[in-house]
Amino acid sequence: SPITATCGIICRDVIAPPGKLRITIHSTKDGPAIHSVKEGSILEGHIFPGDLIVAVDDTDTRAWSAEDVMAMMSQSSSKERKLTVLHASGV
């Protein structure tokens, strides 16, 4: 019998604590996305490569470059930040 895969997009908020997050972001046609989450990152297991960053602290970042998102997160690195990400689930 055929295997049915459930695919979907999940939008979720991830609270990033103060300090370095040890993630890399790259620009895509859909907006800034997580490129990698370095081992030992506080966000490991919470965000994943390919997740789109659609907002930081409720500021819409879909039209931003990766560099702009990184600059904004660096400027606010002394406090907690909320990242809103879109994650594609399934196969």
Side-chain angles (χ1 to χ4, degrees):
S1 64
I3 296 171
T4 306
T6 304
C7 298
I9 297 200
I10 300 163
C11 181
R12 67 172 176 264
D13 291 334
V14 177
I15 302 301
K20 287 192 177 286
L21 301 180
R22 302 187 58 184
I23 61 174
T24 56
I25 299 172
H26 64 157
S27 299
T28 72
K29 64 179 177 53
D30 298 315
I34 301 297
H35 179 69
S36 66
V37 181
K38 295 187 173 93
E39 196 173 323
S41 167
I42 197 81
L43 298 179
E44 200 173 16
H46 299 282
I47 60 172
F48 304 92
D51 286 359
L52 287 176
I53 302 170
V54 295
V56 176
D57 292 331
D58 297 319
T59 299
D60 187 340
T61 57
R62 289 174 293 182
W64 292 26
S65 70
E67 292 78 16
D68 290 341
V69 173
M70 290 299 284
M72 180 186 189
M73 292 197 325
S74 293
Q75 288 168 1
S76 57
S77 66
S78 62
K79 61 186 199 302
E80 198 174 75
R81 293 146 288 177
K82 180 172 81 169
L83 306 180
T84 303
V85 298
L86 291 181
H87 176 76
S89 68
V91 179

